[in-house]
Amino acid sequence: MAIALVLLHFHATQRGFKPPVPDVILTMAAMHAPARIGTLWQQRMETLREYEVIRDGNVFNTSFSDSYVLSSEHEHAEHYLKQLIEHYDGVSFNTVFSGVEHTNEGGVCFSLKSHHAIMDTSLDIDRFRTEILGDLTLVRGIGKTTQARLKARGYQTLSDLGKHPRFRVHAHQVLQRLSLGNQADIMDLIGSRHAKSHPLVLGTAGFHEPEDFVFLDIETLGLFSRPIILFGVGRVDCGDLVVHQYLLRDIGEEQAALIATCEHLSGDHAALVTFNGKSFDLPYIRDRLAYYGMGNGTCIPHFDVLHFSRRRWRGHFPSLRLCVLEQEICGIHREEDIPGQMVPEFYETYLHTNNCGPLVPIIEHNKQDVVSLSRLFFHLLEESYGCC
Amino acid sequence: MAVADVIGLLQKNPLYRNRVMHVETTEPEPAQYGTLDLPLPESVAGYLVQAGISLYSHQCDAINLIRTGKNVIITSPTASGKTLAFNIPVFTRLDADPQTRALYLYPTKALSNDQLATLQQMVQFTGISAKPAIYDGDTPQSKRPAIRKNARVVISNPYEVHHLLSWHSKWSEFFANLRFVVIDEAHRYRGVFGSHISMLVRRMLRLCHHYGADPQFILSTATLANPLEFATRLTGRPFGLVDGDGSPHGRKHFVLYNPFHDGIGERSTHQETKDLLLSCIKSDLHTLCFTGSRKMAELITVWAREDARRTSSRLAESIAAYRAGYLPEERRAIERQLKEGSMKGVVSTNALELGIDIGSLDAVIISGYPGTMMSARQQAGRAGRKGGESLAILVAHANPLDQYFMHHPDQFFNRSHEHAIVDTSNPYIISGHMLCAAAELPIQEDRDQDFFGDAFPSILVELASHDLIRKTSSGWVYTGRGRAADAVRLDGICNETFRVMCNGRLLETMDLAHAFREAHTGAIMLHQGQSYLVKEMDLETHTIRVSRTDVDYYTQALKDVRLTITGILDTRTICGSGCAFGDVEVTEQYTGYKIKQNDTIIGVEPLSLPPLTFRTKAFWLIPPPGTEQTVCDAGLDLAGGLHGAEHAIIALMPLHVICDRWDIGGLSSPAYGESGEPTIFIYDACDGGIGLAEKAFELLPELFATSHELVRDCQCEDGCPSCIYSPKCGNDNQPLDKKATVLILNALCCNAFKKNGSSNCLTSLEPIPT
């Protein structure tokens, strides 16, 4: 029902009374949203920045956020973004990215593949086995001191405890679990008696073939409850590390990318390796699965390299972020990288302008994250249980 | 018969006698018990027997209705056993199906804690394993997973639910089995806050449906004029009503006490209150005194103690103040002492109005009408121990509403209740919740249209065009830069917020409109009873810097208002007056402020603040034809009459529609628009409108009638704060003409005038009854 309007003006106060002047005559539909709404919410969002930009050298003065970006990095990245936009103006997506469309029940997404060398790691599985079987503290009731006492009395291994009147039942249970060979269960067992970042937990990786590992890193549009825009999955194939990247060319491709990623996670012997994935990547994926009503995700053994790194290198370096560790331990140096916190801005620019330039550093960043992750992982394994 | 003593004192003692305007006595009522349609399980029935509880009629009505599966709103008065009325059906269901979950929502921590204690008691006595737990901002992280998994009854509050909905995958089992949502003290969820809560409820229901559940709602509120409408607006579902009260009452006396009986008032209301308090306490009545502000609560306590000390120091010690600012332990101590009887007099703010268990008292003194009949009744309802006589005294302040009741006691006692307004169509509010909803599950237009109303499609387009959501084949996905639940605050309209800082410390936050009005540069601002001078208002950084001050003057901003009609949605004619309701665009600009000492203006300063423009809803009216002529013929000021009528209508609108006077604005002109008609506008003072003008438009005849009575019966000569002077008039209460106002309001009430003799002789005017 159209309602005819007449716009009039008038003044409240008696003095200075202005004669009314009809400005415009409009017709208005029954219901419409005021045009200001979108702008207001956008402005509100601006105040919710998820990272803080701080002056270089001012690292100790962060106030509202644990996440910070140095102002030099920030400036550099903004400048870089502008350059990308200029450089890739009018360039088609398929010219820049050589990948394929990947289709599954979730729809379509874009899939890229790249190959990288990895070092040859051979684990001394016997060394690991001996250590485990000699770890008496795996039995409930035996702490460090008790273990020392028992070993002094000649109980060197878990099998030896089979003769011990008090501990033989529990020792038998532990041995059973170990021999059943369920990796996730063994990880749990060890993790329940030791810190979850204990080298023995890492050692259970020895039960897997290199091809079983799934190295995972995701890029998202924010810290929570927004789409994952890029999934990086590294697999070992014939001695090489193959990095599969599932990219969202548009938000509608998220479901397909989720499914493609979860396929990697569902093998019988698959083992997940991440950097801070226990706190971030995995809960995030679970949440996006629930968002689309897609079920709960899998429960495979999960090696979080951040935890092992902390245990191994705490105090050695000013920070334990991946970019620092990869430099110090693996000698990797990135060129033209952008801070992870700025990925959302770059992706949004791509969505907004349809210029695929901003995607370039996102994909590189993610790719390098996966590669570094795998290198760190194998390095740690080698250190603890490598054959020398 | 201590109560009778005090009443006798009030009515005979010359000090008090004149001020007692009315005493309303209600006879005692015995308990009325009811019967249950369906038998209760052993465990629950056994609990009732053990505790010696027989269920009252309204409790049985509620239980019966709930057990048929309907959504129910219970409006029986406070302390009538409403909690049991909904706990019983919930526990009954839990007994039958241990997987059942229930969510209880409370507006405050104190109430949540009370309810937890009650539920734990029930668990103990019935043996039904409900594992009740509070889940809110104070719940430690380590306890949360266990509560999500195991608790069958979760107690929480709207703010927590607003955030936890985005974690719904962690609550999947809870939502899948959610059978009951209990919202207690639901009348608090009205106005802007209510609109937010109504959207929150819809988001929650949307998630429940996603997990396959369709919970039943149980609302418990104070008495309202429109309970079913309110409940449906709040939740989007149909309801059944339970409104009786079978609980027993002793004889009650309600006294209307007016210190301004002669229009002047020699002493302040607060001193009068203090005297009444002491009289009650000295007659050994355990008394609770409600005041409108924390500062006043403290002051009255101090004065009362000083006076009491002259009699006995023990008496002085038995008087205490109570307010929300106190530490929980202090409050618990006072509550307990009240219950035990060692505390004889407590002076409180409205903090004690809510259903916290403090037992009952002999007398309640209410200093100043608390703003709604609902509050007044709840406060008065605190008086009355089991079957004993009780006393409630309302002490009037010098403002229109209070004085109106003093002169029209029948209006106070027979008043039909107020309407609680929940507006579900404000696009600013809806859009924020749509963003949250998009972040919880992709928005699907066909499925979600029902939740968000008619403006839904156009809001989607608007949000998408700003990259906040994006259309995909699964629906509209949220892509905003920040977390939606952080961007949407449950208080206020999406508007810029100012931080008020004192010595680098955050004192409070205010929204834009409030800040411009109360905290402009040079203003004297009140916070928790303490005065502050505003040194600087920085519009860029949205910061207001203040410093403590002890000056004895105050400030009042002057406002320029412009209004444009942008659409007419409805019209009606009342007694020849053309009235309309529709969309308007309002521009308010604060141009300066007065500096006042007591009631004298000692200075005026200019302000340079930008104008605030917003779109909202309003109703307006043009007095019946001939009114203008009559006013002019009598030599009265038309503009002054219209202005006075506008003030009277605004002053009395809260009587019909629950709102605060700051929620509405007004405008009058002797010659508006092209046609130059005399017009009065009343609009919702917030962006997008909040449903107040809309509701008032339906109730115009009543509104006109009460406004007319107020001004006509006021004993002042030319207008006073008790009738047509408004404390918030941006025009400095000019022009105002009381006689013209009476004429105009009279005409709006279908009373035509017949003149005889000279046009200047007002006394010859007499209303002709229609």
Side-chain angles (χ1 to χ4, degrees):
Chain A
M1 178 173 114
I3 302 171
L5 299 173
V6 176
L7 286 178
L8 306 158
H9 279 284
F10 92 110
H11 230 288
T13 51
Q14 269 288 65
R15 6 186 178 118
F17 172 74
K18 265 197 253 179
V21 173
D23 273 351
V24 177
I25 299 183
L26 303 171
T27 33
M28 183 182 81
M31 278 289 183
H32 75 296
R36 290 201 303 142
I37 283 186
T39 324
L40 277 174
W41 286 115
Q42 230 178 7
Q43 279 170 357
R44 183 55 88 61
M45 296 293 169
E46 294 292 313
T47 66
L48 289 180
R49 262 203 315 223
E50 279 171 333
Y51 61 85
E52 198 183 349
V53 179
I54 60 174
R55 255 186 25 240
D56 294 43
N58 212 12
V59 185
F60 301 105
N61 202 22
T62 58
S63 56
F64 67 80
S65 170
D66 285 331
S67 178
Y68 64 86
V69 174
L70 296 176
S71 65
S72 59
E73 292 177 315
H74 191 251
E75 249 180 69
H76 182 84
E78 306 249 280
H79 182 70
Y80 184 33
L81 181 60
K82 281 206 190 77
Q83 280 182 323
L84 286 166
I85 295 283
E86 270 172 36
H87 187 81
Y88 287 91
D89 185 26
V91 182
S92 83
F93 185 90
N94 290 309
T95 320
V96 185
F97 300 114
S98 50
V100 295
E101 277 196 356
H102 181 102
T103 314
N104 54 41
E105 339 55 286
V108 191
C109 67
F110 193 71
S111 161
L112 299 134
K113 223 154 69 155
S114 56
H115 292 252
H116 308 262
I118 43 160
M119 62 190 190
D120 216 0
T121 319
S122 36
L123 298 184
D124 187 352
I125 206 68
D126 285 325
R127 185 166 137 199
F128 173 69
R129 286 225 170 88
T130 321
E131 237 184 89
I132 275 213
L133 291 173
D135 184 358
L136 304 182
T137 65
L138 286 177
V139 177
R140 180 147 297 174
I142 302 182
K144 281 215 179 95
T145 20
T146 318
Q147 173 175 242
R149 254 190 282 128
L150 286 167
K151 289 215 167 171
R153 284 167 53 191
Y155 294 98
Q156 298 299 329
T157 68
L158 287 169
S159 326
D160 291 342
L161 281 180
K163 306 187 201 98
H164 193 288
R166 181 170 158 209
F167 294 120
R168 67 158 179 252
V169 175
H170 285 151
H172 185 69
Q173 284 173 350
V174 169
L175 277 170
Q176 268 223 312
R177 277 176 86 175
L178 288 174
S179 64
L180 270 175
N182 180 334
Q183 279 87 335
D185 186 45
I186 295 177
M187 265 183 98
D188 263 345
L189 166 65
I190 303 177
S192 68
R193 298 296 300 162
H194 294 286
K196 294 241 180 343
S197 54
H198 194 271
L200 267 185
V201 178
L202 181 59
T204 64
F207 291 132
H208 296 276
E209 300 302 315
E211 287 75 19
D212 292 337
F213 295 121
V214 181
F215 300 96
L216 176 69
D217 187 74
I218 60 177
E219 305 300 331
T220 69
L221 212 45
L223 281 179
F224 185 69
S225 84
R226 264 136 308 152
I228 302 175
I229 54 173
L230 178 61
F231 298 76
V233 178
R235 305 301 298 266
V236 176
D237 188 21
C238 306
D240 267 354
L241 180 72
V242 181
V243 178
H244 304 261
Q245 288 178 293
Y246 303 105
L247 171 73
L248 272 59
R249 289 170 300 180
D250 193 350
I251 302 296
E253 299 192 340
E254 191 185 3
Q255 264 183 293
L258 268 168
I259 292 183
T261 305
C262 288
E263 262 168 27
H264 288 276
L265 295 175
S266 57
D268 277 335
H269 302 284
L272 180 60
V273 183
T274 66
F275 195 87
N276 195 26
K278 287 206 167 153
S279 307
F280 186 72
D281 305 65
L282 208 57
Y284 209 109
I285 290 180
R286 284 215 184 100
D287 186 67
R288 295 314 287 173
L289 288 172
Y291 182 72
Y292 292 106
M294 272 164 66
N296 258 331
T298 51
C299 264
I300 58 176
H302 183 171
F303 298 94
D304 190 332
V305 173
L306 172 62
H307 295 188
F308 299 120
S309 303
R310 270 200 192 128
R311 191 188 178 95
R312 172 72 185 82
W313 289 303
R314 186 188 316 220
H316 285 86
F317 306 116
S319 116
L320 293 170
R321 292 160 100 184
L322 184 63
C323 50
V324 172
L325 289 175
E326 72 188 5
Q327 252 184 323
E328 301 286 347
I329 307 297
C330 311
I332 294 171
H333 179 73
R334 303 195 194 197
E335 301 202 0
E336 286 297 11
D337 192 34
I338 57 171
Q341 298 96 325
M342 294 186 70
V343 165
E345 276 166 73
F346 275 63
Y347 188 82
E348 270 174 7
T349 310
Y350 152 71
L351 273 187
H352 200 70
T353 61
N354 220 20
N355 179 321
C356 63
L359 291 178
V360 172
I362 296 179
I363 291 179
E364 281 312 307
H365 177 91
N366 176 255
K367 198 188 304 177
Q368 187 57 59
D369 275 353
V370 175
V371 171
S372 297
L373 166 64
S374 68
R375 297 242 168 101
L376 268 177
F377 179 67
F378 286 124
H379 179 97
L380 280 165
L381 264 184
E382 176 99 5
E383 266 198 356
S384 306
Y385 298 105
C387 308
C388 342
Chain B
M1 289 296 106
V3 170
D5 288 342
V6 175
I7 299 207
L9 173 72
L10 290 177
Q11 290 178 311
K12 300 202 186 82
N13 186 317
L15 197 66
Y16 297 125
R17 185 174 52 211
N18 294 335
R19 293 158 168 74
V20 174
M21 307 294 285
H22 184 89
V23 180
E24 183 89 359
T25 305
T26 38
E27 291 307 307
E29 299 234 8
Q32 282 176 335
Y33 299 102
T35 45
L36 291 174
D37 292 343
L38 296 170
L40 295 173
E42 283 279 329
S43 40
V44 181
Y47 161 67
L48 293 177
V49 166
Q50 232 185 358
I53 298 175
S54 304
L55 294 171
Y56 300 128
S57 54
H58 65 283
Q59 289 173 314
C60 292
D61 288 343
I63 296 171
N64 291 335
L65 200 52
I66 294 172
R67 290 188 77 183
T68 66
K70 277 186 117 107
N71 302 311
V72 175
I73 174 168
I74 312 175
T75 63
S76 315
T78 332
S80 62
K82 280 191 282 193
T83 309
L84 198 58
F86 53 75
N87 278 344
I88 288 182
V90 171
F91 270 69
T92 304
R93 187 58 166 282
L94 265 169
D95 186 72
D97 173 13
Q99 283 309 309
T100 299
R101 304 291 206 276
L103 177 66
Y104 282 38
L105 288 179
Y106 282 92
T108 69
K109 279 213 76 58
L111 283 171
S112 299
N113 288 327
D114 258 14
Q115 181 61 255
L116 181 64
T118 310
L119 287 171
Q120 281 166 338
Q121 214 182 40
M122 270 192 86
V123 166
Q124 219 185 2
F125 287 128
T126 61
I128 296 174
S129 168
K131 303 202 176 86
I134 296 182
Y135 192 101
D136 66 13
D138 291 343
T139 310
Q141 281 296 335
S142 51
K143 297 225 156 77
R144 290 184 178 216
I147 296 178
R148 289 195 293 260
K149 189 154 170 280
N150 300 325
R152 299 297 187 247
V153 178
V154 170
I155 303 170
S156 188
N157 62 65
Y159 300 95
E160 186 64 25
V161 173
H162 173 61
H163 282 100
L164 72 82
L165 288 182
S166 50
W167 298 95
H168 59 87
S169 61
K170 300 196 176 203
W171 290 88
S172 52
E173 217 183 301
F174 185 84
F175 282 126
N177 289 295
L178 187 60
R179 292 277 135 72
F180 295 103
V181 176
V182 175
I183 306 181
D184 205 345
E185 303 284 329
H187 52 274
R188 305 214 98 211
Y189 306 128
R190 59 177 193 263
V192 172
F193 189 44
S195 298
H196 278 292
I197 303 304
S198 73
M199 285 293 120
L200 182 66
V201 168
R202 282 159 175 77
R203 276 164 50 202
M204 186 170 64
L205 265 178
R206 182 175 173 256
L207 281 171
C208 287
H209 289 180
H210 175 74
Y211 287 106
D214 192 20
Q216 224 177 315
F217 280 87
I218 305 173
L219 262 53
S220 166
T221 78
T223 332
L224 299 171
N226 59 339
L228 292 174
E229 178 192 62
F230 173 73
T232 304
R233 286 270 182 99
L234 194 65
T235 61
R237 321 293 253 102
F239 272 76
L241 172 66
V242 172
D243 60 358
D245 182 12
S247 56
H249 301 288
R251 180 173 287 112
K252 292 177 169 203
H253 304 274
F254 205 129
V255 177
L256 294 186
Y257 188 92
N258 191 2
F260 303 94
H261 62 103
D262 54 3
I264 307 165
E266 299 143 7
R267 304 155 75 218
S268 80
T269 323
H270 309 301
Q271 285 179 319
E272 303 253 9
T273 307
K274 180 244 325 172
D275 286 340
L276 285 170
L277 176 63
L278 279 171
S279 298
C280 287
I281 296 180
K282 283 181 183 159
S283 304
D284 204 32
L285 296 179
H286 286 79
T287 311
L288 176 54
C289 179
F290 287 101
T291 65
S293 79
R294 300 172 196 192
K295 188 170 187 182
M296 271 311 127
E298 300 276 6
L299 272 178
I300 293 182
T301 310
V302 163
W303 293 338
R305 281 180 145 178
E306 269 171 24
D307 272 14
R309 207 157 277 128
R310 283 188 225 127
T311 315
S312 116
S313 64
R314 206 166 51 107
L315 190 66
E317 295 311 309
S318 72
I319 305 174
Y322 179 103
R323 57 179 175 76
Y326 288 168
L327 297 172
E329 306 89 67
E330 289 172 313
R331 297 176 71 183
R332 296 296 97 75
I334 296 176
E335 285 160 24
R336 204 191 53 240
Q337 284 168 320
L338 256 182
K339 242 176 136 164
E340 288 164 7
S342 49
M343 196 62 74
K344 289 243 172 49
V346 171
V347 186
S348 162
T349 59
N350 298 329
L352 257 189
E353 172 192 319
L354 300 179
I356 302 170
D357 184 14
I358 52 161
S360 297
L361 300 126
D362 301 311
V364 166
I365 301 174
I366 306 174
S367 179
Y369 176 67
T372 61
M373 285 305 303
M374 193 164 70
S375 296
R377 288 199 184 101
Q378 282 196 309
Q379 288 175 2
R382 288 292 198 173
R385 299 191 203 246
K386 288 211 183 310
E389 259 189 281
S390 67
L391 172 65
I393 309 176
L394 173 65
V395 183
H397 287 202
N399 66 51
L401 266 184
D402 287 37
Q403 292 303 313
Y404 177 74
F405 286 133
M406 292 295 130
H407 292 111
H408 304 91
D410 54 307
Q411 285 294 333
F412 184 81
F413 291 106
N414 303 323
R415 173 118 226 111
S416 53
H417 308 278
E418 293 121 336
H419 293 77
I421 306 301
V422 175
D423 178 35
T424 51
S425 61
N426 185 315
Y428 294 97
I429 296 181
I430 297 178
S431 55
H433 290 274
M434 276 171 63
L435 289 175
C436 295
E440 288 150 16
L441 294 173
I443 290 189
Q444 280 157 10
E445 283 171 74
D446 47 355
R447 177 189 68 179
D448 296 329
Q449 168 82 52
D450 286 336
F451 293 112
F452 298 111
D454 290 330
F456 176 64
S458 63
I459 296 182
L460 279 177
V461 169
E462 175 64 24
L463 293 174
S465 70
H466 286 83
D467 297 332
L468 291 160
I469 55 178
R470 196 125 172 137
K471 193 167 170 117
T472 73
S473 55
S474 322
W476 298 80
V477 171
Y478 177 70
T479 54
R481 189 76 91 70
R483 281 198 60 194
D486 287 338
V488 178
R489 291 163 33 139
L490 293 184
D491 33 29
I493 308 276
C494 173
N495 216 332
E496 301 147 64
T497 324
F498 279 74
R499 294 172 310 158
V500 181
M501 313 284 289
C502 179
N503 296 331
R505 205 174 43 101
L506 178 70
L507 210 57
E508 64 173 290
T509 57
M510 280 186 186
D511 73 74
L512 188 79
H514 196 188
F516 274 28
R517 187 181 64 226
E518 307 279 328
H520 53 81
T521 310
I524 302 292
M525 195 193 93
L526 269 184
H527 174 82
Q528 295 215 19
Q530 169 70 39
S531 300
Y532 294 85
L533 171 67
V534 177
K535 309 294 270 292
E536 185 199 345
M537 174 189 258
D538 188 336
L539 295 172
E540 284 272 324
T541 62
H542 286 71
T543 314
I544 299 171
R545 273 174 269 277
V546 306
S547 62
R548 278 175 85 125
T549 181
D550 261 318
V551 297
D552 61 350
Y553 63 83
Y554 62 95
T555 58
Q556 218 169 62
L558 291 166
K559 189 171 67 171
D560 196 38
V561 182
R562 279 169 234 228
L563 187 150
T564 311
I565 300 176
T566 58
I568 300 177
L569 298 170
D570 199 356
T571 58
R572 62 193 290 201
T573 310
I574 298 174
C575 307
S577 156
C579 307
F581 166 71
D583 295 310
V584 297
E585 187 175 278
V586 179
T587 302
E588 293 181 346
Q589 184 162 26
Y590 291 96
T591 52
Y593 63 98
K594 293 176 289 183
I595 305 175
K596 297 176 91 164
Q597 205 164 34
N598 296 321
D599 278 316
T600 332
I601 302 176
I602 58 177
V604 180
E605 294 288 323
L607 280 174
S608 57
L609 288 171
L612 296 176
T613 304
F614 57 94
R615 290 181 170 236
T616 181
K617 303 264 193 311
F619 73 81
W620 56 95
L621 62 99
I622 298 171
T627 316
E628 185 175 356
Q629 191 62 47
T630 317
V631 169
C632 293
D633 286 351
L636 302 170
D637 180 17
L638 179 65
L642 290 169
H643 197 188
E646 175 209 319
H647 281 181
I649 293 175
I650 290 181
L652 286 183
M653 206 160 120
L655 216 55
H656 304 272
V657 166
I658 303 182
C659 62
D660 188 79
R661 63 188 327 159
W662 299 108
D663 294 335
I664 41 184
L667 193 58
S668 55
S669 164
Y672 172 81
E674 253 195 359
S675 43
E677 304 262 26
T679 319
I680 299 177
F681 290 86
I682 309 279
Y683 56 87
D684 288 353
C686 84
D687 223 332
I690 203 62
L692 299 171
E694 189 171 357
K695 189 51 141 183
F697 184 70
E698 284 172 37
L699 305 169
L700 281 182
E702 292 96 322
L703 186 53
F704 292 156
T706 47
S707 310
H708 174 234
E709 279 170 12
L710 168 75
V711 188
R712 178 194 67 193
D713 298 338
C714 186
Q715 312 211 318
C716 67
E717 262 294 313
D718 290 315
C720 67
S722 299
C723 58
I724 59 176
Y725 275 61
S726 162
K728 60 173 280 210
C729 181
N731 247 40
D732 203 14
N733 281 311
Q734 279 175 9
L736 284 179
D737 185 328
K738 183 181 177 186
K739 294 189 173 82
T741 303
V742 175
L743 257 172
I744 293 171
L745 288 172
N746 212 348
L748 288 172
C749 296
C750 300
N751 293 331
F753 282 94
K754 170 177 92 157
K755 281 191 321 174
N756 64 356
S758 106
S759 54
N760 277 331
C761 183
L762 264 182
T763 52
S764 58
L765 288 171
E766 34 178 49
I768 299 176
T770 38

